[in-house]
Amino acid sequence: MKKYGILITILLILGLGIGFLLLHNSIPKSVETEKSISQTPTLYIHGYGGTANSTNDMIASAEKSGKAKKILTATVSPTGDVTYTGRWKYTEKNPIVQVIFKRNNAQIPEEGRWIGKITDYLKASYDIKKINLVTHSMGGSSAMYWAESVRKKSSPILNKFVPIADPINGVLGMDEKANKNYFLKNDEPAIKTTNYQSYYSKRKNFPSTAKVFVIYGDVNDGSNSDTSVSIASARSMNYLLKGQVKSYEELKITGENAQHSKLHRNLQVDKAVIQFLWGK
C-alpha cells in the first residue's frame, strides 16, 4: 500500500506540472508580453534656454485630461549622450516622453540630431512605429531639422506635429524687425531668413503623412507678435508645409497670456493640443 501511495503522489505531481504548462501556453502572447496596445508616444521638446519647466505644465494638463501619461524622460547631456529615466509601459496607449537638453543653447542641427537619437532609440527598444512631436519655440525648428535632414526611412513615422511659437522665419530683435515681414498673394513670406531658405529647399523631405498644427501668439501691443516671435515668422510654416502634408491647421492665441514664455503655460493652448492629439 505504501508503494501505491508513493506512485499516486508522483502521478499527481506530474499531472499538476503538465496542467501548468498547458495553462501557460494557452495565455495569449499579447497578454503575456503586455504588448496589447498600439502605441504612439508624444515627445515634448523645449526651446532655446528652456528646461523641464518649459513643458511641465503642458504635460501635467495632458495627464489631468486622462488622455495620456508621462512614462519616460530623455535627458541629453552637453555631449549628446541620452539618459532615460522612468519605466516604459506597453499598456499605456498614449505615452509621453519629456525631452530635456542639458546644453539648452545648442544649435538647431545639433538638437535635430539629438532628437534623431531619441526617436531611433524608441524604435529599437519598444518597436515604436509612429511618434507625435509637441514643441515650444526653437524646439520646433530643431524638430523641422530632424524631419527634413536627419530622419531616416527606418525612423518612426511622424504622425502629428505641434510647433508652438516657432521662430521658423526669424526672431524679433535678432534677424527680424517688428511689422516688416508680410505675405504675398500665394502665402509666400516677402522676407526669408537664411535658415528659412534652408528649410524651404528641403521641404520635400518633410513626411507627407504628418498632420501639422501651428500655434502662435499675439499680445495685442501693435507688434503683431508674442514679443519674441512675430505672427509672420510663425505662420511662415504655412508656405513650407501646406499642401505637402496630410493636414495643416493654425491657431492664434491673443492677449497677455499669448506672450512667448506664457504660451506653454496657457490653458487654451493645452486644451487645443490635447484635442488635436487625442480627440475628445
Side-chain angles (χ1 to χ4, degrees):
M1 293 296 292
K2 187 175 182 180
K3 289 182 180 179
Y4 285 112
I6 294 172
L7 179 60
I8 291 170
T9 301
I10 292 172
L11 290 173
L12 284 171
I13 292 171
L14 287 173
L16 288 170
I18 292 170
F20 175 79
L21 287 173
L22 290 173
L23 178 62
H24 178 74
N25 289 332
S26 69
I27 297 174
K29 190 175 181 181
S30 60
V31 174
E32 188 178 23
T33 62
E34 292 190 330
K35 294 183 181 180
S36 57
I37 294 177
S38 177
Q39 295 179 301
T40 302
T42 300
L43 279 61
Y44 280 73
I45 304 171
H46 65 73
Y48 188 90
T51 65
N53 289 331
S54 303
T55 54
N56 278 345
D57 287 347
M58 289 192 291
I59 292 171
S61 287
E63 291 188 311
K64 187 176 180 181
S65 75
K67 300 293 185 181
K69 179 75 174 177
K70 175 185 169 182
I71 61 174
L72 275 189
T73 300
T75 304
V76 184
S77 76
T79 57
D81 297 317
V82 187
T83 301
Y84 298 90
T85 53
R87 180 175 176 269
W88 193 267
K89 295 181 180 179
Y90 287 103
T91 53
E92 190 64 53
K93 186 176 181 181
N94 296 315
I96 288 175
V97 180
Q98 185 177 34
V99 177
I100 301 171
F101 302 128
K102 297 302 287 185
R103 179 155 58 85
N104 57 15
N105 59 352
Q107 296 299 303
I108 289 170
E110 195 166 21
E111 288 191 355
R113 290 189 288 271
W114 293 342
I115 293 170
K117 274 190 176 184
I118 296 167
T119 58
D120 289 348
Y121 170 85
L122 295 175
K123 175 73 177 290
S125 299
Y126 309 114
D127 194 30
I128 295 303
K129 295 177 173 60
K130 294 182 180 181
I131 60 166
N132 301 323
L133 297 176
V134 176
T135 64
H136 178 254
S137 193
M138 200 186 83
S141 299
S142 298
M144 279 290 295
Y145 186 88
W146 166 78
E148 292 185 342
S149 301
V150 177
R151 185 180 57 91
K152 304 184 292 287
K153 287 185 178 180
S154 59
S155 299
I157 296 168
L158 179 55
N159 182 50
K160 294 181 179 181
F161 177 35
V162 186
I164 302 167
D166 186 357
I168 195 70
N169 192 21
V171 179
L172 291 179
M174 293 180 63
D175 50 0
E176 185 187 15
K177 294 181 180 179
N179 295 315
K180 291 296 182 182
N181 207 353
Y182 59 94
F183 296 106
L184 306 177
K185 288 184 178 181
N186 61 349
D187 293 327
E188 178 182 2
I191 302 171
K192 304 180 187 70
T193 64
T194 301
N195 282 344
Y196 185 82
Q197 292 177 52
S198 177
Y199 291 128
Y200 185 79
S201 69
K202 297 176 182 177
R203 69 193 185 284
K204 296 295 184 182
N205 294 338
F206 195 92
S208 60
T209 55
K211 296 180 179 180
V212 180
F213 184 31
V214 172
I215 300 176
Y216 59 94
D218 182 2
V219 295
N220 293 328
D221 66 349
S223 68
N224 290 298
S225 76
D226 64 13
T227 70
S228 294
V229 178
S230 72
I231 294 173
S233 178
R235 293 196 64 235
S236 289
M237 190 75 79
N238 178 36
Y239 189 64
L240 283 178
L241 298 181
K242 193 172 183 179
Q244 301 211 68
V245 293
K246 190 170 184 179
S247 68
Y248 180 92
E249 302 174 51
E250 293 180 348
L251 174 65
K252 180 180 179 180
I253 306 295
T254 60
E256 180 183 348
N257 290 326
Q259 192 272 338
H260 189 71
S261 296
K262 292 181 179 180
L263 282 169
H264 57 69
R265 299 192 305 271
N266 185 302
L267 292 178
Q268 185 182 354
V269 171
D270 294 345
K271 184 177 179 180
V273 171
I274 291 166
Q275 173 65 30
F276 177 72
L277 292 178
W278 305 299
K280 295 180 180 179

